[in-house]
Amino acid sequence: MSSSNEPGERLQKVLSRAGVASRRHVESLIAAGRIRVNGEVVTELGTRVDISSDVVELDRKVLQLDVDRRYVLFHKPTGIVTSLSDDKGRPDLTQVLDEIGERLFSVGRLDFDSSGLLILTNDGEAANILAHPSFGVEKTYRVSVQGAVSNKTLGTLTTGVELEDGVIHADEVKRLDDPRGGTTLLDITLHSGKNRVVRRMCAAVGHPVKTLQRRRFGPFHLGGLKPGQWRDFTDQERHQLATLVQLAAEAASSGENR
């Protein structure tokens, strides 16, 4: 945080550009003591900030102020790979990135035969926190599986399934239709980032996956996006992610200092 005669940009300008509020409204937020910079309540209207290093909060929620950071929600259809090239010549992310107009990379992955929510970004720190299992960011998958899934099997999925690379358990499993049918629809929530983990878990309990769609990634939802459609994060979603990143950084720092 800088004083009025030092480098940086005026707080009102930064917040207005990021879509938080108009400059006039920012002044009222400052007057009400609702804005903090690096943990301290801002009292001066001439306060200047450096968006690359200062942490700005509104009502104790961190704000994402760097408008050069891009975050896109993409409904990946089946039949494409989540990379910019494929040694088998299959369709990849090139077309959607051409539409977006910026070179972004995907957070985590979705199999060629899977669909659903894929986050694309140029923010490496946020991508790492969203994707790395040590940060515990949950993902929810809607899967249709072969056979009638019993209550006992639902319990097995949450208590732990033995796979070739260790025991994996879902954080939550919901059965969405009649368990007596030839196909069962499930919502499976877990934070593991292992390759094809949902498919492998379901196969291990005797119910191979027929279709798989990721519906949620952390606080971000697929919503009404149709296959192949994409949209930029809303301002609220950008600030949600900034808060998540800051909390993860603080948790990592406290762990290192123990």
Side-chain angles (χ1 to χ4, degrees):
M1 182 167 57
S2 308
S3 63
S4 58
N5 59 354
E6 292 181 348
E9 294 183 88
R10 286 174 63 88
L11 186 57
Q12 292 96 316
K13 180 180 178 181
V14 170
L15 296 186
S16 175
R17 184 178 63 221
V20 176
S22 68
R23 297 189 190 191
R24 186 178 296 273
H25 189 203
V26 171
E27 292 178 358
S28 68
L29 295 174
I30 291 173
R34 295 173 60 186
I35 295 181
R36 294 172 179 257
V37 178
N38 301 328
E40 297 181 6
V41 175
V42 173
T43 57
E44 296 181 14
L45 295 180
T47 297
R48 304 175 78 86
V49 294
D50 181 345
I51 62 173
S52 67
S53 58
D54 290 329
V55 177
V56 181
E57 298 172 79
L58 170 62
D59 296 335
R60 294 187 176 272
K61 294 181 180 179
V62 180
L63 302 174
Q64 171 53 266
L65 303 176
D66 188 346
V67 295
D68 291 329
R69 296 189 183 186
R70 189 87 182 268
Y71 310 96
V72 169
L73 296 180
F74 172 52
H75 186 160
K76 175 193 142 5
T78 57
I80 71 169
V81 295
T82 54
S83 63
L84 291 177
S85 63
D86 181 62
D87 55 10
K88 298 179 181 178
R90 296 174 296 181
D92 54 38
L93 293 176
T94 303
Q95 181 176 344
V96 68
L97 291 181
D98 285 345
E99 293 177 12
I100 292 170
E102 191 166 354
R103 186 179 178 87
L104 307 175
F105 50 89
S106 62
V107 178
R109 44 182 184 245
L110 275 175
D111 299 330
F112 181 76
D113 296 321
S114 301
S115 66
L117 180 59
L118 191 67
I119 296 176
L120 305 171
T121 186
N122 56 7
D123 185 343
E125 180 185 16
N128 179 59
I129 287 170
L130 284 170
H132 200 284
S134 65
F135 293 105
V137 178
E138 291 184 340
K139 285 86 71 177
T140 297
Y141 300 86
R142 183 157 295 172
V143 297
S144 63
V145 300
Q146 293 180 17
V149 179
S150 67
N151 291 337
K152 181 179 179 181
T153 299
L154 295 178
T156 300
L157 289 169
T158 53
T159 55
V161 179
E162 182 75 44
L163 302 177
E164 62 271 19
D165 49 354
V167 177
I168 297 293
H169 68 88
D171 298 305
E172 183 179 24
V173 181
K174 293 180 180 179
R175 188 173 52 217
L176 303 178
D177 57 5
D178 192 319
R180 295 169 295 180
T183 299
T184 305
L185 191 64
L186 304 172
D187 270 358
I188 298 177
T189 298
L190 73 171
H191 59 268
S192 171
K194 292 187 176 182
N195 190 37
R196 297 178 66 85
V197 65
V198 174
R199 292 181 181 275
R200 292 190 290 131
M201 289 176 70
C202 291
V205 296
H207 296 282
V209 169
K210 300 176 71 174
T211 64
L212 183 151
Q213 181 186 79
R214 183 156 62 201
R215 300 289 304 173
R216 180 175 69 88
F217 200 135
F220 311 110
H221 294 260
L222 185 62
L225 283 177
K226 293 180 170 54
Q229 290 184 333
W230 61 271
R231 67 168 177 82
D232 284 287
F233 271 27
T234 63
D235 289 336
Q236 181 181 2
E237 287 167 337
R238 290 174 64 88
H239 303 325
Q240 280 182 302
L241 180 55
T243 296
L244 190 155
V245 169
Q246 181 65 20
L247 290 173
E250 291 174 357
S253 177
S254 64
E256 291 173 357
N257 294 332
R258 285 175 186 169

